[in-house]
Amino acid sequence: MRGAAFILWRLSLTTFLQQLFNALALGGVYALVALGLTLVYGVMRVPNFAHGGLYMLGAYFAYAALSGLGVPYVAALLLAAAGVALLAALLERAVFYPLRNAPHVHSMIAAIGVLFFVEAAVQLIWGPDFKQIAEPVPGIVNLGGVIITWQRVLVIAASVLVVLGLNYFLKRTLTGATIEAMSQNREGARLVGVNVNRVGMLTFAISGGLAAAAAALIAPIISVAPSMGEVMNLKVFAIIILGGMGSVPGAIVGAFLLALAEVFGGFYINLDFADVIGFAMLVLVLAIKPEGLFRRGT
Amino acid sequence: MNRAAFKPGPWGWLVIFALAALLPLLKPGGYVLDIGINIMIWAMLAYGLNVMLGYSGLLSLAHAGFFGIGAYAVGILTLKAHWSFWLALPAGVLISALGGLLLGLVAFRTRGDAFAIFTLGVGVILQLVINKWDALTGGNEGLNGVPPATSLLGIDFSKGANFYYVALAALALTVLVVARTRGSVFGRSLVAIRGGEDLARSAGIDVYTHKLRALMLSTAIAGLAGGVYAAYVGFLGSSVTGPVTTFTVLLYLLVGGVGTLAGPLLGTALMYGLTQSLKGLQDYQYIVFGPLLVLLVMFVPQGLAGLWDRAQARRVAARTERTVDHA
C-alpha cells in the first residue's frame, strides 16, 4: 500500500487519469481491429496475416479521400471503411474461399502474399514517407485538470458506438446470428441452412470495414506510413491469442488490457519498451495458460 | 507421404556438388561467384525453413531472426572478441540452436495456427532487439567490417573463389544432415506429426520433444547460413533479419517444393537468379512476389519438385497400366 501511495504522490492523479484516457482511446482502436480478425478466425479458421495490410490500406484510403476528393472527415472514414470492406470481400472470394479445404498453412502463406502485395502497392502509389491527416476537431477539452484532445474523445466515442453496433448485429439480427452460428459449429450451421459462402464473404467485409474505420480514427493522432500495418498486425494477433482465438469478448478485453499495459508501461517504465510489452504479456500468458484468457465460443 | 519424392539420389547430389565445385575453375567473373555464394546462403536458410514447414508441417516465421542471431554471433565474436571465423561459426550455430530451444519451450505450448502467429511475433521482436541494442549489435548503424574467413590448414579462405568453397561445404553439410534426418526414424516421426499430432501421439511419438528437436535443427541451419553470410558480406544491418527475409525465402521454398530435398536449392537458384538478372524486377519485386505466393499455394502448392514427382508418378502409372493391358 505504501508503494501505491508513493506512486500516486509522485505522479498526481491528473497524470494518471490523462494516461487512462490515452489508454482507452488506444484500446478502442485495438478492439476494432482485433474484432475483425477474431471474427474471421472464428468463421473461416484462417489467421489472416493480411489484416494489418487492410488496416494500413484503410488509413491511406481515408487520406486519399481527404486530400484527393476533399470530402469531410466523417465521409472519408465511411468511404475508407466501405472501400476496404469491398476489397476484403473480394479477397475472400478470390483467395481464401478457394483455399478453404487446403491445409491451413496454405491460407496463411497466401495471406502473407497479400500483405506483401498491399504494402508494396501502397508504397508504389503513395511513396514510403509519412502522411499526415489533420484532426477534424482540433483543440483540447479540459475535464477538471485532465486534458484530452478532441480526437481522442472522438476515438473513444466512435469505437464504443461501433462495438455496441456490432454486438447488436451479432446478437439481435438473423444475419449476425449466422456468423455466430458458423463460428460455433460450422457443420451444424450448414445443416440448419446457413449459406456458408455468403457468411464468409460478409465476415471478411465486416472485418475489413472495422480495420479501416479504426485506421481512419487513429490516423490524425499517429502518422500514416506503409509500415503501420505490420506493427498493428503483431499487436492484434497478440490480442486475439491473449483473448482466445475466435472469441469476441476476449478480443475486446485483450485490446484494452494491451492498451493499458502499453500506455502505463511506456509511461511509468520506459517508452522504448511500449511496443514490446504486448509481446511480453503474450509470452507470459502462453506460458501459464496456453489456450488464452477466454475460451472460444463464449 | 507415400509418393516417390523428387530425389536426385546420392549420386545425383554428388554430380550437382561436383559441378558446383568446378565453377570457380572456369575463372568466372566476381559477379557469377557472388550470385553463386548468395544462392548457397539463401538455400541453406530455405533448408532450415523446410525442416519445419516441409517435414513437421509447422509454419515458423522467425527464421530470419535466427539467421540474424547466427550472423551477429559470428560478426560480434570475430570483430569484437577477435575469435577465428572457424570457432565463431560453430558458436553461432550453437547459439541459434539454443535460441530455437527457448522459442520452442514457449511456442509449442500453443496449438495449431497460433504457432505461426507466435513465431511471426518472435521474428519481429528479434529484429527490434537487434536494431535497438546499440552496445552489442551497433543498432541502426549496423556492424561494419566483419572480418572475412581466416585461413585454415594453410589455405586462405578470405578471397572470393576460396570463400565459395566455404559456402559450398556449408551447403553440402546442410543437405547431408537434412537428408539423413529425413530418412531416420526421427524424420519419419516428424512426417507423422505433420499428418496429425493426435494420431502421432497415439502411435507413441513424443510430439513435444520431436517438435523441439526439429525446431533446434531448423534454427541451427538458419544460424549456419547467417554465420556464412556475416563473413561473406562483412556488414550486418538489422533489415536483413526481419520477416521480409523470411517471407522471401518462404517464396523460394514454395517455388522449389516444400518437403522435398531438392526443392530449397532449386527454388532459391531459380528465384534468386531471376531477381538478380532482371534488374527492373528488383524495385518492384514484392508487387510480383506477393501475388506469386498466392498463386503458388492455390495452383502449384507442391512446387517444381512436386510437379516433377507428379509427372513421374503419372509415367509410372501409365507404364503399369500398359503392362496390365499386355497381360
Side-chain angles (χ1 to χ4, degrees), chain A residues 41 45 47 49 94-95 98-99 104-106 108-110 112-113 116-117 120-121 124 234 237 241 245 276 279 286-288 290, chain B residues 53 57 59 61 106 109-110 113 116-118 120-122 124-125 128 247 250 254 284 286-287 289-291 293-294 297-298 301:
Chain A
Y41 187 82
R45 291 289 180 281
F49 285 120
V95 177
L99 282 172
H104 275 193
V105 168
H106 286 182
M108 288 192 238
I109 294 171
I112 290 171
F116 247 41
F117 175 73
L124 190 71
L234 187 62
F237 271 113
I241 297 183
M245 310 248 298
V276 194
F279 199 72
L286 280 182
I288 302 164
Chain B
L53 183 61
L59 183 59
L61 296 172
V106 181
R109 294 178 59 89
T110 63
D113 302 333
I117 302 167
F118 191 80
L120 177 66
V122 172
V124 174
I125 300 294
L128 265 178
F247 296 161
L250 182 65
L254 272 166
Y284 304 109
Y286 297 115
I287 293 249
F289 281 5
L293 265 180
V294 177
V297 288
M298 285 178 76

Short mmCIF file of all heavy atoms in Angstrom, two decimals, chain A residues 41 45 47 49 94-95 98-99 104-106 108-110 112-113 116-117 120-121 124 234 237 241 245 276 279 286-288 290, chain B residues 53 57 59 61 106 109-110 113 116-118 120-122 124-125 128 247 250 254 284 286-287 289-291 293-294 297-298 301:
data_model
loop_
_atom_site.label_atom_id
_atom_site.label_comp_id
_atom_site.label_asym_id
_atom_site.label_seq_id
_atom_site.Cartn_x
_atom_site.Cartn_y
_atom_site.Cartn_z
N TYR A 41 -11.31 -15.33 -37.90
CA TYR A 41 -10.76 -16.59 -37.42
C TYR A 41 -11.89 -17.53 -36.98
O TYR A 41 -11.86 -18.72 -37.27
CB TYR A 41 -9.77 -16.39 -36.28
CG TYR A 41 -9.10 -17.68 -35.92
CD1 TYR A 41 -8.03 -18.13 -36.68
CD2 TYR A 41 -9.60 -18.50 -34.93
CE1 TYR A 41 -7.45 -19.35 -36.42
CE2 TYR A 41 -9.03 -19.73 -34.66
CZ TYR A 41 -7.96 -20.15 -35.42
OH TYR A 41 -7.39 -21.37 -35.18
N ARG A 45 -11.59 -19.96 -39.72
CA ARG A 45 -10.44 -20.68 -39.14
C ARG A 45 -9.14 -20.31 -39.84
O ARG A 45 -8.25 -21.12 -40.00
CB ARG A 45 -10.62 -22.19 -39.22
CG ARG A 45 -11.70 -22.74 -38.34
CD ARG A 45 -11.29 -22.67 -36.88
NE ARG A 45 -12.33 -23.20 -36.01
CZ ARG A 45 -13.42 -22.52 -35.65
NH1 ARG A 45 -13.60 -21.30 -36.08
NH2 ARG A 45 -14.30 -23.06 -34.85
N PRO A 47 -5.97 -17.59 -39.77
CA PRO A 47 -5.32 -16.43 -39.18
C PRO A 47 -4.92 -15.51 -40.34
O PRO A 47 -4.01 -15.82 -41.08
CB PRO A 47 -4.08 -16.99 -38.47
CG PRO A 47 -3.95 -18.40 -38.87
CD PRO A 47 -5.07 -18.77 -39.79
N PHE A 49 -3.14 -13.04 -41.95
CA PHE A 49 -1.96 -12.19 -41.79
C PHE A 49 -2.06 -10.91 -42.61
O PHE A 49 -1.28 -9.99 -42.42
CB PHE A 49 -0.69 -12.96 -42.21
CG PHE A 49 -0.25 -13.96 -41.21
CD1 PHE A 49 -0.16 -15.30 -41.53
CD2 PHE A 49 0.06 -13.57 -39.93
CE1 PHE A 49 0.24 -16.24 -40.60
CE2 PHE A 49 0.46 -14.50 -38.98
CZ PHE A 49 0.55 -15.84 -39.32
N ALA A 94 -11.59 -14.43 -53.95
CA ALA A 94 -10.52 -14.79 -54.87
C ALA A 94 -9.48 -15.70 -54.24
O ALA A 94 -8.90 -16.54 -54.92
CB ALA A 94 -9.85 -13.52 -55.38
N VAL A 95 -9.22 -15.54 -52.94
CA VAL A 95 -8.10 -16.26 -52.34
C VAL A 95 -8.55 -17.27 -51.28
O VAL A 95 -8.25 -18.46 -51.36
CB VAL A 95 -7.08 -15.27 -51.73
CG1 VAL A 95 -5.95 -16.04 -51.05
CG2 VAL A 95 -6.53 -14.34 -52.80
N PRO A 98 -11.32 -20.27 -52.28
CA PRO A 98 -10.79 -21.44 -52.99
C PRO A 98 -9.86 -22.30 -52.13
O PRO A 98 -9.69 -23.48 -52.40
CB PRO A 98 -10.00 -20.83 -54.16
CG PRO A 98 -10.55 -19.46 -54.33
CD PRO A 98 -10.99 -19.02 -52.98
N LEU A 99 -9.27 -21.70 -51.09
CA LEU A 99 -8.30 -22.44 -50.28
C LEU A 99 -8.95 -23.07 -49.04
O LEU A 99 -8.25 -23.58 -48.17
CB LEU A 99 -7.18 -21.52 -49.82
CG LEU A 99 -6.10 -21.18 -50.86
CD1 LEU A 99 -5.17 -20.11 -50.34
CD2 LEU A 99 -5.32 -22.43 -51.24
N HIS A 104 -4.18 -25.59 -43.60
CA HIS A 104 -4.21 -24.22 -43.08
C HIS A 104 -3.00 -23.41 -43.44
O HIS A 104 -3.09 -22.21 -43.66
CB HIS A 104 -4.33 -24.27 -41.55
CG HIS A 104 -5.74 -24.39 -41.11
ND1 HIS A 104 -6.13 -24.18 -39.83
CD2 HIS A 104 -6.85 -24.68 -41.81
CE1 HIS A 104 -7.43 -24.36 -39.75
NE2 HIS A 104 -7.88 -24.67 -40.93
N VAL A 105 -1.85 -24.09 -43.50
CA VAL A 105 -0.61 -23.39 -43.81
C VAL A 105 -0.74 -22.67 -45.15
O VAL A 105 -0.21 -21.58 -45.34
CB VAL A 105 0.55 -24.41 -43.81
CG1 VAL A 105 1.79 -23.80 -44.40
CG2 VAL A 105 0.84 -24.88 -42.40
N HIS A 106 -1.49 -23.25 -46.08
CA HIS A 106 -1.63 -22.64 -47.40
C HIS A 106 -2.33 -21.28 -47.32
O HIS A 106 -1.89 -20.32 -47.93
CB HIS A 106 -2.42 -23.57 -48.34
CG HIS A 106 -1.60 -24.73 -48.78
ND1 HIS A 106 -2.06 -25.67 -49.66
CD2 HIS A 106 -0.36 -25.12 -48.46
CE1 HIS A 106 -1.14 -26.59 -49.86
NE2 HIS A 106 -0.10 -26.27 -49.13
N MET A 108 -2.47 -19.39 -44.77
CA MET A 108 -1.60 -18.44 -44.06
C MET A 108 -0.57 -17.85 -45.02
O MET A 108 -0.31 -16.65 -45.01
CB MET A 108 -0.86 -19.16 -42.93
CG MET A 108 -1.73 -19.52 -41.75
SD MET A 108 -0.68 -20.02 -40.38
CE MET A 108 -1.25 -21.64 -40.05
N ILE A 109 0.02 -18.72 -45.84
CA ILE A 109 1.04 -18.24 -46.78
C ILE A 109 0.41 -17.30 -47.80
O ILE A 109 0.97 -16.25 -48.14
CB ILE A 109 1.73 -19.43 -47.47
CG1 ILE A 109 2.52 -20.23 -46.45
CG2 ILE A 109 2.65 -18.95 -48.59
CD1 ILE A 109 3.07 -21.54 -46.96
N ALA A 110 -0.80 -17.65 -48.25
CA ALA A 110 -1.49 -16.77 -49.20
C ALA A 110 -1.74 -15.41 -48.57
O ALA A 110 -1.56 -14.37 -49.22
CB ALA A 110 -2.81 -17.41 -49.63
N ILE A 112 0.02 -13.98 -46.30
CA ILE A 112 1.30 -13.28 -46.28
C ILE A 112 1.58 -12.65 -47.64
O ILE A 112 2.03 -11.51 -47.75
CB ILE A 112 2.44 -14.24 -45.89
CG1 ILE A 112 2.31 -14.63 -44.42
CG2 ILE A 112 3.81 -13.62 -46.14
CD1 ILE A 112 3.24 -15.73 -43.98
N GLY A 113 1.27 -13.41 -48.70
CA GLY A 113 1.45 -12.88 -50.05
C GLY A 113 0.61 -11.63 -50.27
O GLY A 113 1.09 -10.65 -50.86
N PHE A 116 2.23 -8.70 -48.44
CA PHE A 116 3.37 -8.28 -49.28
C PHE A 116 2.91 -7.32 -50.36
O PHE A 116 3.46 -6.25 -50.54
CB PHE A 116 3.85 -9.53 -50.02
CG PHE A 116 5.20 -10.01 -49.63
CD1 PHE A 116 5.60 -10.02 -48.31
CD2 PHE A 116 6.08 -10.47 -50.60
CE1 PHE A 116 6.85 -10.49 -47.97
CE2 PHE A 116 7.32 -10.94 -50.26
CZ PHE A 116 7.70 -10.96 -48.95
N PHE A 117 1.88 -7.77 -51.07
CA PHE A 117 1.41 -7.03 -52.23
C PHE A 117 0.82 -5.69 -51.82
O PHE A 117 1.13 -4.66 -52.42
CB PHE A 117 0.37 -7.87 -52.99
CG PHE A 117 -0.25 -7.13 -54.13
CD1 PHE A 117 0.49 -6.92 -55.28
CD2 PHE A 117 -1.53 -6.66 -54.06
CE1 PHE A 117 -0.06 -6.23 -56.34
CE2 PHE A 117 -2.09 -5.97 -55.11
CZ PHE A 117 -1.35 -5.75 -56.26
N ALA A 120 3.56 -3.25 -50.79
CA ALA A 120 4.36 -2.79 -51.93
C ALA A 120 3.54 -1.85 -52.82
O ALA A 120 4.05 -0.84 -53.30
CB ALA A 120 4.87 -3.99 -52.73
N ALA A 121 2.26 -2.20 -52.98
CA ALA A 121 1.41 -1.37 -53.85
C ALA A 121 1.21 0.01 -53.24
O ALA A 121 1.29 1.03 -53.95
CB ALA A 121 0.06 -2.07 -54.06
N LEU A 124 4.22 2.04 -53.67
CA LEU A 124 4.39 2.47 -55.06
C LEU A 124 3.49 3.66 -55.37
O LEU A 124 3.89 4.61 -56.05
CB LEU A 124 4.03 1.28 -55.98
CG LEU A 124 4.37 1.45 -57.45
CD1 LEU A 124 5.88 1.40 -57.63
CD2 LEU A 124 3.71 0.36 -58.28
N LEU A 234 0.99 -7.43 -35.52
CA LEU A 234 1.59 -8.13 -34.39
C LEU A 234 0.75 -7.93 -33.14
O LEU A 234 0.46 -8.87 -32.39
CB LEU A 234 3.00 -7.59 -34.18
CG LEU A 234 3.84 -8.31 -33.16
CD1 LEU A 234 4.03 -9.73 -33.61
CD2 LEU A 234 5.15 -7.60 -32.99
N PHE A 237 -2.73 -9.69 -33.28
CA PHE A 237 -2.59 -11.13 -33.13
C PHE A 237 -2.29 -11.49 -31.68
O PHE A 237 -2.82 -12.46 -31.15
CB PHE A 237 -1.51 -11.68 -34.07
CG PHE A 237 -2.07 -12.07 -35.41
CD1 PHE A 237 -1.73 -11.39 -36.55
CD2 PHE A 237 -2.96 -13.11 -35.50
CE1 PHE A 237 -2.25 -11.73 -37.78
CE2 PHE A 237 -3.49 -13.47 -36.73
CZ PHE A 237 -3.14 -12.78 -37.87
N ILE A 241 -4.71 -13.93 -29.45
CA ILE A 241 -4.21 -15.12 -28.76
C ILE A 241 -4.47 -14.97 -27.26
O ILE A 241 -4.89 -15.92 -26.59
CB ILE A 241 -2.70 -15.33 -29.01
CG1 ILE A 241 -2.43 -15.59 -30.49
CG2 ILE A 241 -2.20 -16.54 -28.23
CD1 ILE A 241 -0.98 -15.89 -30.79
N MET A 245 -8.44 -17.32 -29.48
CA MET A 245 -8.70 -17.09 -30.90
C MET A 245 -10.17 -17.35 -31.22
O MET A 245 -10.69 -18.41 -30.92
CB MET A 245 -7.83 -18.02 -31.75
CG MET A 245 -6.37 -18.00 -31.36
SD MET A 245 -5.31 -17.28 -32.57
CE MET A 245 -5.55 -18.36 -33.94
N VAL A 276 6.97 -3.52 -27.20
CA VAL A 276 7.29 -4.92 -26.95
C VAL A 276 6.46 -5.49 -25.81
O VAL A 276 6.38 -6.69 -25.61
CB VAL A 276 8.80 -5.06 -26.65
CG1 VAL A 276 9.23 -6.50 -26.71
CG2 VAL A 276 9.62 -4.24 -27.63
N PHE A 279 3.95 -8.12 -26.32
CA PHE A 279 4.55 -9.41 -26.60
C PHE A 279 5.01 -10.10 -25.33
O PHE A 279 4.84 -11.31 -25.17
CB PHE A 279 5.71 -9.23 -27.56
CG PHE A 279 6.05 -10.50 -28.20
CD1 PHE A 279 5.22 -11.03 -29.14
CD2 PHE A 279 7.15 -11.20 -27.80
CE1 PHE A 279 5.50 -12.24 -29.69
CE2 PHE A 279 7.44 -12.41 -28.35
CZ PHE A 279 6.61 -12.93 -29.31
N LEU A 286 0.89 -17.23 -22.36
CA LEU A 286 1.01 -18.53 -23.03
C LEU A 286 1.72 -19.53 -22.14
O LEU A 286 1.40 -20.72 -22.13
CB LEU A 286 1.77 -18.39 -24.34
CG LEU A 286 0.95 -17.89 -25.50
CD1 LEU A 286 1.81 -17.84 -26.74
CD2 LEU A 286 -0.25 -18.78 -25.74
N ALA A 287 2.70 -19.04 -21.38
CA ALA A 287 3.45 -19.95 -20.51
C ALA A 287 2.55 -20.48 -19.40
O ALA A 287 2.71 -21.61 -18.95
CB ALA A 287 4.66 -19.23 -19.93
N ILE A 288 1.58 -19.65 -18.97
CA ILE A 288 0.74 -20.08 -17.85
C ILE A 288 -0.55 -20.73 -18.34
O ILE A 288 -0.99 -21.75 -17.84
CB ILE A 288 0.39 -18.86 -16.95
CG1 ILE A 288 1.69 -18.22 -16.46
CG2 ILE A 288 -0.46 -19.28 -15.77
CD1 ILE A 288 1.49 -16.84 -15.91
N PRO A 290 -2.01 -21.70 -21.95
CA PRO A 290 -1.79 -21.74 -23.40
C PRO A 290 -3.04 -21.50 -24.23
O PRO A 290 -2.93 -21.11 -25.38
CB PRO A 290 -1.26 -23.15 -23.63
CG PRO A 290 -0.80 -23.62 -22.31
CD PRO A 290 -1.63 -22.94 -21.29
N LEU B 53 8.54 -26.49 -42.02
CA LEU B 53 7.32 -26.46 -42.83
C LEU B 53 7.13 -27.77 -43.60
O LEU B 53 6.04 -28.32 -43.65
CB LEU B 53 7.36 -25.28 -43.79
CG LEU B 53 6.12 -25.09 -44.66
CD1 LEU B 53 4.90 -24.85 -43.80
CD2 LEU B 53 6.30 -23.94 -45.63
N GLY B 57 5.37 -29.75 -40.87
CA GLY B 57 4.10 -29.10 -41.17
C GLY B 57 3.82 -27.86 -40.34
O GLY B 57 2.68 -27.46 -40.18
N LEU B 59 4.51 -23.79 -39.71
CA LEU B 59 4.99 -22.58 -40.37
C LEU B 59 5.70 -21.72 -39.33
O LEU B 59 5.07 -21.14 -38.47
CB LEU B 59 3.81 -21.83 -40.99
CG LEU B 59 4.13 -20.57 -41.78
CD1 LEU B 59 5.06 -20.86 -42.92
CD2 LEU B 59 2.85 -19.94 -42.30
N LEU B 61 7.81 -18.46 -38.67
CA LEU B 61 8.08 -17.21 -39.38
C LEU B 61 9.18 -16.39 -38.70
O LEU B 61 9.32 -15.21 -38.95
CB LEU B 61 6.79 -16.39 -39.49
CG LEU B 61 5.71 -17.07 -40.32
CD1 LEU B 61 4.40 -16.32 -40.25
CD2 LEU B 61 6.15 -17.20 -41.78
N VAL B 106 8.30 -22.20 -25.27
CA VAL B 106 7.07 -21.42 -25.10
C VAL B 106 6.11 -21.67 -26.26
O VAL B 106 4.92 -21.93 -26.06
CB VAL B 106 7.38 -19.92 -24.99
CG1 VAL B 106 6.09 -19.13 -24.80
CG2 VAL B 106 8.33 -19.66 -23.84
N ARG B 109 3.67 -24.62 -26.66
CA ARG B 109 2.53 -24.74 -25.75
C ARG B 109 1.25 -24.36 -26.48
O ARG B 109 0.16 -24.70 -26.04
CB ARG B 109 2.73 -23.85 -24.54
CG ARG B 109 3.90 -24.30 -23.66
CD ARG B 109 4.10 -23.36 -22.51
NE ARG B 109 2.91 -23.26 -21.68
CZ ARG B 109 2.65 -24.04 -20.65
NH1 ARG B 109 3.50 -24.98 -20.32
NH2 ARG B 109 1.56 -23.88 -19.94
N THR B 110 1.38 -23.60 -27.58
CA THR B 110 0.19 -23.24 -28.35
C THR B 110 -0.15 -24.41 -29.27
O THR B 110 0.67 -25.28 -29.52
CB THR B 110 0.45 -22.02 -29.22
OG1 THR B 110 1.48 -22.36 -30.15
CG2 THR B 110 0.91 -20.85 -28.40
N ASP B 113 -2.57 -23.09 -35.37
CA ASP B 113 -2.28 -21.84 -36.06
C ASP B 113 -1.55 -20.83 -35.20
O ASP B 113 -0.81 -19.99 -35.71
CB ASP B 113 -3.58 -21.21 -36.53
CG ASP B 113 -4.34 -22.14 -37.45
OD1 ASP B 113 -3.67 -22.96 -38.09
OD2 ASP B 113 -5.56 -22.05 -37.51
N ALA B 116 2.30 -20.24 -35.81
CA ALA B 116 2.77 -19.34 -36.88
C ALA B 116 2.72 -17.89 -36.42
O ALA B 116 3.65 -17.11 -36.63
CB ALA B 116 1.92 -19.54 -38.13
N ILE B 117 1.62 -17.53 -35.77
CA ILE B 117 1.45 -16.16 -35.30
C ILE B 117 2.52 -15.83 -34.28
O ILE B 117 3.16 -14.78 -34.32
CB ILE B 117 0.06 -15.98 -34.67
CG1 ILE B 117 -1.03 -16.33 -35.68
CG2 ILE B 117 -0.11 -14.59 -34.14
CD1 ILE B 117 -2.38 -16.48 -35.05
N PHE B 118 2.71 -16.76 -33.35
CA PHE B 118 3.67 -16.55 -32.28
C PHE B 118 5.08 -16.35 -32.84
O PHE B 118 5.81 -15.44 -32.44
CB PHE B 118 3.63 -17.74 -31.33
CG PHE B 118 4.37 -17.50 -30.06
CD1 PHE B 118 3.80 -16.77 -29.03
CD2 PHE B 118 5.65 -17.99 -29.88
CE1 PHE B 118 4.49 -16.53 -27.86
CE2 PHE B 118 6.34 -17.76 -28.72
CZ PHE B 118 5.76 -17.02 -27.70
N LEU B 120 5.87 -15.36 -35.80
CA LEU B 120 5.95 -14.07 -36.51
C LEU B 120 6.29 -12.97 -35.50
O LEU B 120 7.15 -12.11 -35.75
CB LEU B 120 4.63 -13.76 -37.22
CG LEU B 120 4.59 -12.41 -37.93
CD1 LEU B 120 5.57 -12.38 -39.08
CD2 LEU B 120 3.20 -12.07 -38.41
N GLY B 121 5.63 -13.04 -34.34
CA GLY B 121 5.92 -12.08 -33.28
C GLY B 121 7.38 -12.15 -32.86
O GLY B 121 8.07 -11.13 -32.75
N VAL B 122 7.88 -13.36 -32.66
CA VAL B 122 9.27 -13.53 -32.26
C VAL B 122 10.20 -12.95 -33.32
O VAL B 122 11.19 -12.28 -33.01
CB VAL B 122 9.59 -15.03 -32.02
CG1 VAL B 122 11.07 -15.24 -31.80
CG2 VAL B 122 8.81 -15.54 -30.82
N VAL B 124 9.61 -10.47 -35.38
CA VAL B 124 9.61 -9.01 -35.31
C VAL B 124 10.42 -8.54 -34.09
O VAL B 124 11.22 -7.60 -34.18
CB VAL B 124 8.16 -8.48 -35.23
CG1 VAL B 124 8.16 -6.98 -35.01
CG2 VAL B 124 7.42 -8.82 -36.51
N ILE B 125 10.24 -9.23 -32.96
CA ILE B 125 10.95 -8.83 -31.74
C ILE B 125 12.45 -9.00 -31.91
O ILE B 125 13.24 -8.13 -31.51
CB ILE B 125 10.48 -9.68 -30.54
CG1 ILE B 125 8.99 -9.50 -30.32
CG2 ILE B 125 11.26 -9.32 -29.28
CD1 ILE B 125 8.56 -8.15 -29.90
N LEU B 128 13.71 -6.14 -33.78
CA LEU B 128 13.67 -4.94 -32.94
C LEU B 128 14.85 -4.92 -31.97
O LEU B 128 15.52 -3.90 -31.82
CB LEU B 128 12.37 -4.91 -32.13
CG LEU B 128 11.20 -4.13 -32.69
CD1 LEU B 128 10.01 -4.26 -31.77
CD2 LEU B 128 11.60 -2.66 -32.81
N PHE B 247 9.84 -14.19 -45.45
CA PHE B 247 8.82 -14.36 -46.49
C PHE B 247 9.46 -14.62 -47.84
O PHE B 247 8.98 -15.43 -48.63
CB PHE B 247 7.93 -13.11 -46.58
CG PHE B 247 7.14 -12.84 -45.34
CD1 PHE B 247 6.60 -11.60 -45.09
CD2 PHE B 247 6.92 -13.85 -44.41
CE1 PHE B 247 5.86 -11.35 -43.94
CE2 PHE B 247 6.18 -13.61 -43.25
CZ PHE B 247 5.65 -12.36 -43.03
N LEU B 250 10.67 -18.06 -47.90
CA LEU B 250 9.48 -18.92 -47.97
C LEU B 250 9.01 -19.06 -49.42
O LEU B 250 8.63 -20.13 -49.87
CB LEU B 250 8.37 -18.31 -47.11
CG LEU B 250 7.05 -19.06 -47.00
CD1 LEU B 250 7.26 -20.39 -46.31
CD2 LEU B 250 6.02 -18.25 -46.25
N LEU B 254 8.69 -22.40 -51.63
CA LEU B 254 7.45 -22.80 -52.28
C LEU B 254 7.64 -23.04 -53.76
O LEU B 254 7.06 -23.97 -54.33
CB LEU B 254 6.39 -21.72 -52.09
CG LEU B 254 5.56 -21.82 -50.82
CD1 LEU B 254 4.81 -20.55 -50.58
CD2 LEU B 254 4.59 -22.98 -50.93
N TYR B 284 10.42 -3.59 -57.91
CA TYR B 284 9.01 -3.93 -57.71
C TYR B 284 8.86 -5.38 -57.31
O TYR B 284 7.81 -5.96 -57.51
CB TYR B 284 8.22 -3.67 -59.00
CG TYR B 284 8.37 -2.26 -59.48
CD1 TYR B 284 9.10 -1.95 -60.61
CD2 TYR B 284 7.79 -1.22 -58.75
CE1 TYR B 284 9.26 -0.65 -61.03
CE2 TYR B 284 7.95 0.08 -59.15
CZ TYR B 284 8.69 0.37 -60.29
OH TYR B 284 8.84 1.66 -60.68
N TYR B 286 8.33 -7.06 -54.68
CA TYR B 286 7.27 -7.52 -53.79
C TYR B 286 5.89 -7.40 -54.42
O TYR B 286 4.98 -8.13 -54.06
CB TYR B 286 7.36 -6.80 -52.45
CG TYR B 286 8.66 -7.16 -51.78
CD1 TYR B 286 9.65 -6.22 -51.55
CD2 TYR B 286 8.93 -8.49 -51.47
CE1 TYR B 286 10.86 -6.59 -50.99
CE2 TYR B 286 10.13 -8.87 -50.92
CZ TYR B 286 11.09 -7.92 -50.68
OH TYR B 286 12.29 -8.29 -50.15
N ILE B 287 5.76 -6.48 -55.38
CA ILE B 287 4.50 -6.40 -56.13
C ILE B 287 4.30 -7.71 -56.91
O ILE B 287 3.19 -8.18 -57.09
CB ILE B 287 4.54 -5.22 -57.12
CG1 ILE B 287 4.57 -3.91 -56.35
CG2 ILE B 287 3.40 -5.28 -58.10
CD1 ILE B 287 3.35 -3.07 -56.42
N PHE B 289 6.16 -10.70 -56.11
CA PHE B 289 6.30 -11.84 -55.20
C PHE B 289 5.01 -12.13 -54.44
O PHE B 289 4.66 -13.29 -54.21
CB PHE B 289 7.42 -11.59 -54.19
CG PHE B 289 8.79 -11.83 -54.74
CD1 PHE B 289 8.97 -12.13 -56.08
CD2 PHE B 289 9.91 -11.75 -53.92
CE1 PHE B 289 10.23 -12.34 -56.60
CE2 PHE B 289 11.17 -11.97 -54.43
CZ PHE B 289 11.34 -12.26 -55.77
N GLY B 290 4.31 -11.10 -54.02
CA GLY B 290 3.09 -11.29 -53.22
C GLY B 290 2.07 -12.14 -53.96
O GLY B 290 1.72 -13.23 -53.50
N PRO B 291 1.61 -11.66 -55.14
CA PRO B 291 0.65 -12.47 -55.89
C PRO B 291 1.22 -13.83 -56.28
O PRO B 291 0.48 -14.82 -56.33
CB PRO B 291 0.38 -11.63 -57.15
CG PRO B 291 0.68 -10.24 -56.73
CD PRO B 291 1.79 -10.33 -55.74
N LEU B 293 3.20 -15.74 -54.46
CA LEU B 293 2.97 -16.62 -53.30
C LEU B 293 1.55 -17.16 -53.30
O LEU B 293 1.31 -18.35 -53.11
CB LEU B 293 3.19 -15.83 -52.00
CG LEU B 293 4.54 -15.88 -51.30
CD1 LEU B 293 4.50 -15.02 -50.05
CD2 LEU B 293 4.90 -17.30 -50.92
N VAL B 294 0.59 -16.24 -53.53
CA VAL B 294 -0.82 -16.63 -53.52
C VAL B 294 -1.10 -17.65 -54.62
O VAL B 294 -1.69 -18.71 -54.38
CB VAL B 294 -1.73 -15.39 -53.71
CG1 VAL B 294 -3.19 -15.81 -53.76
CG2 VAL B 294 -1.51 -14.40 -52.58
N VAL B 297 0.41 -21.22 -53.81
CA VAL B 297 -0.32 -22.10 -52.88
C VAL B 297 -1.67 -22.49 -53.45
O VAL B 297 -2.20 -23.54 -53.11
CB VAL B 297 -0.52 -21.50 -51.48
CG1 VAL B 297 0.77 -21.46 -50.72
CG2 VAL B 297 -1.15 -20.14 -51.52
N MET B 298 -2.22 -21.65 -54.34
CA MET B 298 -3.52 -22.00 -54.89
C MET B 298 -3.43 -23.07 -55.97
O MET B 298 -4.24 -23.99 -56.02
CB MET B 298 -4.22 -20.76 -55.45
CG MET B 298 -4.75 -19.85 -54.37
SD MET B 298 -5.52 -18.38 -55.01
CE MET B 298 -7.07 -19.03 -55.60
N PRO B 301 0.82 -25.97 -55.11
CA PRO B 301 1.35 -25.98 -53.74
C PRO B 301 2.53 -26.93 -53.57
O PRO B 301 3.28 -26.80 -52.62
CB PRO B 301 0.15 -26.42 -52.89
CG PRO B 301 -0.77 -27.09 -53.84
CD PRO B 301 -0.56 -26.44 -55.16
#
